[in-house]
Amino acid sequence: MRTSRLAEWSKRILLAALVLLVLAVAGAWLYLRGSLAQLDGTRQAAGIETTASVARDAHGVPVISGGSRGDVAYATGFVHAQERFFQMDLLRRVAAGELSELFGDRALPLDKAHRLHRFRARGELALKSMPAEDRALLDRYVAGVNDGLHALNTKPFEYALVGETPRPWTQADTLLVIWAMYFDLQGNLESRELARGWFRDHTTDEQRAFLAPESTPWDAPLDAQQIDAEVVMPSAPPAWWGKPKAADRPAAVKVAQAEFLNTVGSNNWAVAGTRSDTGASIVADDMHLGIQLPAIWYRAALQFPDGKGGQRRMVGVTLPGAPFVVVGSNGHVAWGFTNSYGDYLDLIALDSDAAKPGQVRTQAGWETPVVQEETILVKGAPAVKLAVRETSLGPIREVQGRSYALHWSAHLPGAVNFNAGKLESADTLDQALAIAPTLGVPVQNFVAGDDKGNIGWTIAGPLPRRAAHGVTSTYPLTADDAAGQWQGWLAPAEYPKVVNPPQGQLGTANNRQLAGEGAALIGDGGFDLGARAHQVRDDLTALGPKTDVKKVYAIGLDDRAVFLTAWRERAIGALDAKAIAGNAQRTEALALLKDNWSGKASVDSAGYRITRGFMYAVYDITYGGVNSELAQIDPKASMAAISARWPVVLARLLDQQPAGWLPSQYPSWEALQLAALDRVIAELTKDGQPLKNATWGQRNTAASAHPMASAVPLLGKYLKVAPDMLAGDQHMPRVAGPTFGQSERLTVSPGHEEQGIFNMPGGQSGHPLSPYFLDGRMDWLTGRESPLLPGPAQHTLTFVK
């Protein structure tokens, strides 16, 4: 009897536990669903001027309409908050150095590095000088954000995971979102200058000119077919050349061929109306950024009165946290951006004197830095105090016992503003090109075209007016260098521009933009070596005298290995009969280089992966020791940071094989190349897999994930996608890497937006339970031509007074 009762109670307890488990799962599911965006219905909105609506299509892409621009800003803020508030929160916290408040002391090093710039304080100052019209629009957007956040039935699920409550959005937070992009797009300038400082101190003028050339034959500037400026090869290399990594620093630098060095991206190009099928221009843009979930951009069409009795429709991508279309078309003008990689930061080495305690000397003379105390809130730990010393040139950073002033354009008044809104009313290319220089954004290449067929390029964002500097300012400066003195911003009329070039096309790809006049105004902040721009230019030319949107869009999918083809030939040449005799692995590598090569960065190509690895293995052999040394200065410092043109330099050495440059541990250049190939073979077969299985797709996979995926492993599988093999690589238009690639692809002819094409690596929503979380990702993976304009409305949310 007792046994029977125990069994009965055991069943009851088990059943109760199961019920509790089911209730817990159901409760969690209901809680998560509570933070899904509202798609339908009518809401009263305090302060709305007329009415506004959000009409989403089957993919969640909205047309946001309103009776005034302010009402559209309100509705945009509402939608951004409901779909992407946690993303917005991370952007403002990254810029302000406030991540530790959510994630604890593991985020403290990044917060300290970013808090040095005091962007929240700078944002509060910027608000005081913002024009009244811009401030009114910002206020409406902020009101929409906070109403959208509060309208969720439960707080965004990420805050439940970290155990925090979301902080309301403020006007300064929107400016911080723009400053976050400064870190993303110009965040390597400081490391680059530190690396170049070491480089300058350990080379001669001739060695620097050769190892870090200002241009290469691959450059494709907008004002010349190419730049012919091959420098003289010095008879001898620097003392550090070809030295292996120090034995006591084995982990200082990873194997380069296994990494993705210099994988910068972003392409934009335009075709004039003289070559389009409609007579209007065609503009394409694919900005390359980190690939994660949700995608950084939020697609939208914004529609509002144009002030002339009609309607203005903007279509493209917005950045959650700001109320404007960043890249797209207003019906008359279309535009796109690429990072300009100009020189917008100087490191000024500060002098001190025991006779002047507490003072430092800059180009402006002796001064006493102002000490600002910053308080960093840390989850689960006491707040951390950080003393920031600021000079007239910027905050002071200590590096290896030396003090530098960080003179960065991001610190100056005007670095962030709302002038992007003026592009909404631009009716002509000339108007757009006049607005671009006034934009408060990280300095970008601005390529635009209008419905009349005109196309043009200029620089968007603030260019400092600086003393003649040339290459000098790409190295740390002293207090005696005039190049570190800036006198405000250049006027828009002084900006370089190219309008309606005779070939009816133009494009940029993070490369050197100009060969002649105007180049010095931009400077070199780490230009790409030019192979992508070269290939884009040739692709545009190959379109012929007449083309259309689909053909122009397809250039962004070009994964031909034009640049790496010569490296394949070098590898094949090194694997001659003598080299492969009795060596089965080299023999197999040779066969794969010959037979498993499609001429593209194909996912099924082992030949491509071996070729790429060969180039990087040569880099490791020649620069391994110096990279180990540079890593002690700054984690991002390397020869690749000093000059992205290193592949061209190494190619010239392999082709000419100068005896004076051969590293002493190798008897010949042939031996060096075989050593590089042996390194690649060893790396690709180290896990016991056959070399033929080491395809490019196996290496080039994108496992996009939500930022919380690693923080909560139990939920990780719901917050990321399985690894997808990606075609494409650096040095070709279709740049693709495991965590970096085309954050959007947009091609549009202004006035013919119904022909426009768009895709991006994730959906509209940041919520994994939303049907719009991954919607559209397959189009991005395959390059399928998805419509730019939203389709018929499936859900409509209306705002009324």
Side-chain angles (χ1 to χ4, degrees):
M1 179 70 71
R2 182 174 296 176
T3 301
S4 177
R5 288 181 178 179
L6 285 174
E8 182 65 26
W9 275 107
S10 295
K11 291 179 182 180
R12 291 180 181 180
I13 292 172
L14 182 61
L15 180 61
L18 183 61
V19 170
L20 288 174
L21 178 62
V22 171
L23 289 174
V25 171
W29 184 79
L30 289 172
Y31 182 89
L32 288 174
R33 286 195 59 81
S35 57
L36 285 169
Q38 181 179 350
L39 303 181
D40 295 289
T42 300
R43 297 190 62 88
Q44 285 193 315
I48 199 167
E49 298 171 338
T50 56
T51 61
S53 66
V54 179
R56 289 178 171 89
D57 70 4
H59 304 287
V61 181
V63 175
I64 304 176
S65 306
S68 72
R69 184 63 183 90
D71 288 348
V72 170
Y74 173 90
T76 303
F78 189 96
V79 169
H80 279 170
Q82 292 226 315
E83 300 277 27
R84 301 284 192 89
F85 188 82
F86 187 69
Q87 174 193 359
M88 296 163 58
D89 193 8
L90 291 185
L91 286 172
R92 67 175 171 180
R93 289 178 183 275
V94 162
E98 296 170 350
L99 290 169
S100 299
E101 191 175 356
L102 285 182
F103 302 112
D105 57 10
R106 63 180 171 172
L108 196 54
L110 182 62
D111 277 353
K112 286 182 177 179
H114 286 193
R115 189 65 70 93
L116 183 71
H117 303 277
R118 302 186 65 245
F119 282 137
R120 181 169 289 284
R122 298 181 195 280
E124 295 295 345
L125 286 175
L127 288 173
K128 295 179 181 179
S129 60
M130 180 176 279
E133 184 179 359
D134 292 348
R135 180 59 187 264
L137 187 69
L138 175 59
D139 288 344
R140 297 310 305 140
Y141 177 77
V142 170
V145 170
N146 287 321
D147 284 356
L149 176 63
H150 296 148
L152 295 171
N153 293 326
T154 60
K155 60 188 176 183
F157 75 93
E158 296 95 340
Y159 297 95
L161 297 178
V162 299
E164 294 292 331
T165 299
R167 192 173 67 199
W169 198 255
T170 69
Q171 286 77 5
D173 291 334
T174 287
L175 303 186
L176 285 169
V177 164
I178 303 173
W179 263 307
M181 299 308 294
Y182 270 92
F183 280 125
D184 205 340
L185 299 171
Q186 296 180 5
N188 289 331
L189 286 174
E190 186 180 346
S191 301
R192 169 180 159 83
E193 293 224 353
L194 287 170
R196 286 175 71 86
W198 187 97
F199 179 61
R200 177 190 58 195
D201 295 341
H202 293 82
T203 52
T204 65
D205 291 345
E206 294 76 14
Q207 289 165 347
R208 284 196 299 280
F210 175 68
L211 291 171
E214 294 185 51
S215 62
T216 78
W218 285 95
D219 278 307
L222 295 167
D223 57 349
Q225 186 66 18
Q226 66 180 42
I227 303 176
D228 296 315
E230 187 172 279
V231 297
V232 175
M233 182 189 299
S235 59
W240 47 261
W241 172 261
K243 302 296 184 185
K245 286 185 285 188
D248 61 341
R249 296 173 183 171
V253 182
K254 296 181 180 179
V255 178
Q257 67 97 0
E259 297 302 306
F260 282 76
L261 299 178
N262 295 126
T263 307
V264 298
S266 296
N267 312 302
N268 60 3
W269 56 94
V271 174
T274 54
R275 291 179 57 192
S276 77
D277 59 341
T278 64
S281 66
I282 303 174
V283 176
D285 184 82
D286 53 61
M287 296 177 285
H288 293 66
L289 294 166
I291 302 299
Q292 62 179 25
L293 299 174
I296 187 170
W297 308 113
Y298 184 85
R299 295 180 61 185
L302 311 181
Q303 191 165 299
F304 45 86
D306 62 3
K308 304 174 185 177
Q311 290 283 310
R312 179 64 54 126
R313 182 183 64 185
M314 305 288 303
V315 59
V317 296
T318 65
L319 177 63
F324 303 115
V325 166
V326 176
V327 164
S329 175
N330 67 14
H332 296 283
V333 179
W335 65 90
F337 296 108
T338 67
N339 199 13
S340 64
Y341 282 90
D343 184 17
Y344 316 119
L345 179 147
D346 287 337
L347 283 179
I348 313 295
L350 301 173
D351 290 339
S352 60
D353 189 333
K356 300 178 184 293
Q359 294 189 348
V360 296
R361 186 170 77 95
T362 71
Q363 291 96 335
W366 288 95
E367 59 180 275
T368 301
V370 177
V371 179
Q372 306 282 0
E373 185 177 80
E374 292 286 314
T375 300
I376 302 176
L377 301 179
V378 184
K379 180 183 177 182
V384 173
K385 301 290 185 180
L386 180 68
V388 177
R389 294 189 299 153
E390 289 194 322
T391 72
S392 59
L393 296 181
I396 296 176
R397 181 183 170 187
E398 304 289 340
V399 182
Q400 293 191 321
R402 192 71 195 263
S403 297
Y404 296 93
L406 291 179
H407 196 23
W408 188 15
S409 61
H411 296 149
L412 302 182
V416 167
N417 62 34
F418 257 32
N419 286 348
K422 296 180 180 180
L423 287 170
E424 296 176 347
S425 58
D427 290 329
T428 67
L429 172 71
D430 287 343
Q431 291 174 1
L433 293 179
I435 293 167
T438 73
L439 301 184
V441 297
V443 181
Q444 301 286 291
N445 290 304
F446 180 85
V447 166
D450 64 21
D451 54 358
K452 307 295 191 301
N454 302 298
I455 59 173
W457 163 89
T458 190
I459 288 291
L463 282 176
R465 183 187 302 279
R466 58 196 308 170
H469 57 289
V471 178
T472 302
S473 64
T474 65
Y475 302 99
L477 302 171
T478 70
D480 296 317
D481 287 319
Q485 294 180 316
W486 303 359
Q487 302 298 324
W489 304 120
L490 289 175
E494 299 174 273
Y495 277 52
K497 63 180 179 179
V498 176
V499 178
N500 289 331
Q503 64 271 33
Q505 65 183 50
L506 47 77
T508 75
N510 312 126
N511 58 306
R512 177 173 170 169
Q513 304 93 337
L514 300 171
E517 187 178 354
L521 299 176
I522 304 167
D524 184 353
F527 290 140
D528 191 29
L529 62 80
R532 272 188 299 118
H534 197 113
Q535 198 161 329
V536 166
R537 183 194 63 194
D538 291 351
D539 284 348
L540 286 168
T541 302
L543 293 177
K546 286 294 179 181
T547 188
D548 56 33
V549 166
K550 288 186 177 182
K551 293 174 183 175
V552 173
Y553 163 79
I555 290 174
L557 304 177
D558 181 7
D559 57 0
R560 291 177 301 122
V562 175
F563 180 75
L564 272 186
T565 296
W567 280 90
R568 170 180 175 257
E569 293 168 357
R570 294 183 187 101
I572 291 174
L575 293 170
D576 58 18
K578 182 179 177 181
I580 66 174
N583 191 315
Q585 288 190 314
R586 288 182 183 176
T587 301
E588 183 181 9
L590 178 60
L592 291 169
L593 285 166
K594 289 183 174 180
D595 302 330
N596 192 230
W597 170 268
S598 64
K600 299 181 178 181
S602 305
V603 296
D604 58 352
S605 176
Y608 179 84
R609 189 173 178 188
I610 294 169
T611 298
R612 187 187 195 277
F614 171 58
M615 181 178 75
Y616 277 100
V618 174
Y619 171 89
D620 275 330
I621 287 172
T622 52
Y623 293 138
V626 67
N627 282 339
S628 180
E629 185 76 23
L630 289 169
Q632 309 308 307
I633 300 173
D634 185 281
K636 296 180 182 178
S638 68
M639 278 302 299
I642 289 168
S643 175
R645 301 183 178 103
W646 61 265
V648 178
V649 175
L650 296 184
R652 184 177 171 189
L653 287 169
L654 293 185
D655 292 344
Q656 297 183 12
Q657 301 192 358
W661 282 76
L662 178 66
S664 59
Q665 64 269 40
Y666 297 99
S668 66
W669 283 100
E670 291 78 7
L672 184 150
Q673 293 180 81
L674 288 175
L677 284 162
D678 287 343
R679 285 192 185 196
V680 176
I681 293 169
E683 174 71 19
L684 299 185
T685 60
K686 65 182 180 181
D687 296 325
Q689 74 168 344
L691 188 59
K692 66 180 181 180
N693 291 349
T695 63
W696 178 236
Q698 183 200 59
R699 176 67 182 91
N700 203 36
T701 59
S704 301
H706 188 283
M708 296 302 296
S710 59
V712 189
L714 290 177
L715 294 178
K717 67 178 182 179
Y718 302 106
L719 298 175
K720 60 185 178 182
V721 295
D724 294 301
M725 292 186 179
L726 300 178
D729 192 13
Q730 63 189 133
H731 305 317
M732 58 188 65
R734 191 172 188 168
V735 174
T739 60
F740 185 86
Q742 294 169 319
S743 66
E744 49 78 43
R745 301 187 193 105
L746 184 152
T747 305
V748 62
S749 182
H752 303 272
E753 285 75 17
E754 71 283 352
Q755 299 177 10
I757 299 171
F758 181 89
N759 48 57
M760 68 182 186
Q764 292 289 93
S765 175
H767 200 303
L769 294 185
S770 169
Y772 311 131
F773 183 55
L774 291 176
D775 191 290
R777 180 176 174 83
M778 190 54 64
D779 292 347
W780 175 78
L781 286 171
T782 62
R784 188 160 52 212
E785 300 164 357
S786 307
L788 171 63
L789 288 177
Q794 304 293 310
H795 302 278
T796 301
L797 177 63
T798 303
F799 301 94
V800 298
K801 291 185 179 181

